[in-house]
Each structure stands twice: as structure tokens, then as C-alpha cells.
Amino acid sequence: KKYRDLPYVNAMISQLVYDFGKTNANIRMEKFYKIAAEYEFMDEICHTLFNIKQKYYDLLRISSMVLITKKNLELAEEIKNIVKDEPDKTNSLYNLNNAKVMLIEKEKEFVNAKYDLSNAMYLDNKIDYKINYTPTFIINEDITSNLKDTQQLALPFDAIKAIDIAYENSPDLKVIINTKNAMQEALKYAKKSYLPSIALNAGYGYNRTYDTKNSNILLNADISTDINVKEIKHSIELANAQLNIAENEITLFKKNLYFEVQRALNNVEKTSKELQYSKDALKISDKTYNLVKDYYKTNVTDYTELQQAREDYTNSYIKYINSMYEYNLALIQTETALHLQIVDIQH
């Protein structure tokens, strides 16, 4: 009596052999999308760094404003102490109070600017730190007319080379180019949807009874296709349209980047000249104030001219500080356009 079943084995394997490049096109498309995502991440890092630089120079600007408003307060007190008669004494006290208010405002702006820098660096507001002047932004702490030399850089490239650098370094451009490459693969995939897929099937069977045993091998290939002509035609048209859009985006982006670089370089040149002019004007206003002050003491000039000379000196210094800030901002904008470090503030 047969009291159990004997072994029976059957195994089948089906393997896609060739699909006329559809799988490869799909893989390459995903690869290009991944590369584009990596460049997008790099672009975010670059913008974070440039944002920190801008906030750093803004804090330098405000801290310098605090120094000049302190100097303005000293000058207002100096004038109050040398005025002789009314109503000049009352007026000098009024100007002194205005100078105190201006100082309070600038000190508040300094605190806010430091918050902005801390936020840009993702620091807790409780973390304290000091900032240092850079080669392109430096003033005397005692606010004297003997100005320290602010470095004005000679850019290590001309306008033509700058465009090449921008095209080579721009993560945004690389994102668009890789998106276009992905669209090309998508178009290839859509066109190859008309083609079938070839699969290879292999099998092995084994059967045994008490009286007999047998085995068999199965090997065959089949071609399969599932074609919706109308749907595939629509997919090809859509892929073509997306590819054209991507190519147009590259052309448009290069054009915009070209003008962005040109504007940045023009601003560097413009602000560099303005910085030198404001420095010269500050030296003149400082000499003028000291002369008018001496003349006032000898009754050659009046109180109104003395106060005007003080205001001119203060405004000239504010203009000089703002010019330094605008010059450095222009350098940062150039760095942003080229994705290239020009001024090293990390060290």
C-alpha cells in the first residue's frame, strides 16, 4: 500500500531580456533628476553663505553707525560748552538731545542687526560673539579723520571671463541642464513605447512515483506588447513639449545670468568710485568743522555755521560708512552671481 506521496518538483523563471532601451532610458532619466536635486541643495548652501555675509556686513555698518553717532554726541556737547549767548545756548541743548536720541536709535538697530546675523547663522540668541572688521570694511574706533585704508579689490577676472565662470559654477544652470537631459530620456522612453518587450522563460520539472521517475526542461522566449497608439502618440508629444520648454529655460537662464553678472560688475565699479569720493568728502568736512569751530571762537563765524559744519561732518561720515557697505554688498552680489568667493571673511 502506498502510504505517502513521493516528491514532485516544478520551478519556472521568467526574465526580461530586452526592451529596446526603455528601461535604460527610464534609469538615466531618474539619474538626471537626482543630479538636479543635488545641485539644488548646493545652491541653497551657497545662498545661505552669501546671506550670512550680507548680514555680517550689515552688522559692521550698524556698529560703525553707533560709533559715529557717539562722535556726533561728543561734538554736540563740545558746541554746547563753547556757545556764548542765547538763543544759541538753548538751541545747542536741543541739538544735544537730538544727538542722544539718534544714538539710542542706532544702538537698538545694532541689537536687531545682531539678531539677524544670529538667525542667518542658525545660532541661539543667547550665544555671544564678536565681529571683526574685514579688509574691505574698516574704520578707526575713535572716529578720526585719519582714516584707515579700506581695501578696494582688483577683481581677478574681466567681464568676459566672469560670464564663463558664472556659467561653469551656477548650480541653477546645472539643474536646468540636467532637467533637460531627463526630458531627453523621457522622450526616448515615450518613443520606444511602440516597441515590444522580449522575455525568456526557463523551467524545470521533476516527478517520481514508485515505479517511474521523469524530469523535463522547458525553454522558450516570447514577445509581448501592450500598445495604445493614441496614448503613446500623446506621450511623445508631451515629452517633446517638455524638452522644448527645458531647452528654452536654458537659453533664458543664461541670458538672465549674463545680465545679472554685468549688473553686479557695474555695481562694483560704481560703488568703488563712490567710496573713494565719500572718503575725500569726509576728509574735507572734518577740516571744515575744525576751521569753523576755531573761527567761531574768534567771532569770525556764527553759531549757525558751526552747527551746519557739525551736521555736514556727521552726514559725511554716515555717507562714507554707507558707501563701504554698498561696495561690499556689490562684491557679495558678484559672488552670488558667479558662485565664487571673492572676499574671505571666515578667516
Side-chain angles (χ1 to χ4, degrees), residues 67 104 106 115 138 195 202 211 302 314 320:
L67 293 177
I104 293 172
K106 294 304 176 184
Y115 284 153
I138 184 170
L195 302 174
D211 300 322
D302 60 17
T314 302
Y320 176 64

Side-chain angles (χ1 to χ4, degrees), residues 196-214:
S197 298
I198 300 176
L200 179 65
N201 302 305
Y204 173 76
Y206 176 81
N207 185 29
R208 180 180 177 180
T209 67
Y210 279 98
D211 300 322
T212 62
K213 64 178 179 180
N214 63 74

Side-chain angles (χ1 to χ4, degrees), residues 72 93-103:
N72 180 55
L93 185 60
Y94 171 79
N95 287 317
L96 178 62
N97 289 333
N98 282 343
K100 290 179 180 178
V101 171
M102 182 184 294
L103 177 59

Side-chain angles (χ1 to χ4, degrees), residues 1 11 18 44 143 150 222 237 240 287:
K1 182 178 179 180
Y18 190 62
E44 286 298 318
I143 307 294
T150 298
D222 64 65
E237 291 174 351
N240 258 318
K287 292 179 180 179

Side-chain angles (χ1 to χ4, degrees), residues 40-247:
E40 284 181 346
F41 178 68
M42 184 189 302
D43 189 53
E44 286 298 318
I45 293 176
C46 290
H47 279 287
T48 299
L49 294 175
F50 295 139
N51 184 48
I52 290 173
K53 272 192 171 183
Q54 181 180 346
K55 296 296 189 298
Y56 188 90
Y57 279 108
D58 192 43
L59 186 57
L60 281 178
R61 179 181 69 86
I62 297 299
S63 65
S64 301
M65 290 294 186
V66 172
L67 293 177
I68 186 56
T69 49
K70 286 181 178 179
K71 180 65 175 180
N72 180 55
L73 180 57
E74 292 176 8
L75 297 180
E77 289 178 338
E78 181 181 42
I79 292 175
K80 183 183 74 71
N81 293 331
I82 64 174
V83 291
K84 303 169 184 177
D85 304 313
E86 291 289 354
D88 294 345
K89 286 185 177 182
T90 301
N91 187 267
S92 66
L93 185 60
Y94 171 79
N95 287 317
L96 178 62
N97 289 333
N98 282 343
K100 290 179 180 178
V101 171
M102 182 184 294
L103 177 59
I104 293 172
E105 291 175 350
K106 294 304 176 184
E107 287 175 338
K108 287 182 178 179
E109 288 182 25
F110 175 81
V111 173
N112 290 334
K114 197 166 185 179
Y115 284 153
D116 290 339
L117 177 58
S118 297
N119 186 46
M121 296 189 296
Y122 301 99
L123 292 179
D124 191 297
N125 287 331
K126 295 179 181 178
I127 298 177
D128 194 22
Y129 55 87
K130 294 182 179 179
I131 59 171
N132 298 315
Y133 292 116
T134 70
T136 55
F137 195 114
I138 184 170
I139 65 169
N140 289 324
E141 292 289 336
D142 59 351
I143 307 294
T144 63
S145 59
N146 184 23
L147 300 175
K148 293 184 178 181
D149 289 331
T150 298
Q151 184 178 351
Q152 293 179 256
L153 302 178
L155 298 179
F157 45 77
D158 57 21
I160 296 176
K161 180 63 176 176
I163 298 299
D164 293 335
I165 293 173
Y167 288 166
E168 181 180 354
N169 292 348
S170 173
D172 289 332
L173 182 57
K174 289 182 172 67
V175 168
I176 299 174
I177 290 174
N178 279 281
T179 300
K180 185 209 74 170
N181 293 338
M183 292 298 98
Q184 287 178 326
E185 297 302 325
L187 179 59
K188 291 178 184 178
Y189 182 86
K191 288 180 176 179
K192 290 178 179 180
S193 297
Y194 283 115
L195 302 174
S197 298
I198 300 176
L200 179 65
N201 302 305
Y204 173 76
Y206 176 81
N207 185 29
R208 180 180 177 180
T209 67
Y210 279 98
D211 300 322
T212 62
K213 64 178 179 180
N214 63 74
S215 63
N216 63 80
I217 296 176
L218 173 67
L219 182 66
N220 74 287
D222 64 65
I223 298 176
S224 62
T225 181
D226 183 15
I227 297 177
N228 184 324
V229 176
K230 186 175 181 180
E231 182 179 348
I232 293 176
K233 183 174 181 295
H234 174 71
S235 298
I236 293 175
E237 291 174 351
L238 179 60
N240 258 318
Q242 290 175 331
L243 179 59
N244 290 334
I245 291 173
E247 289 174 342

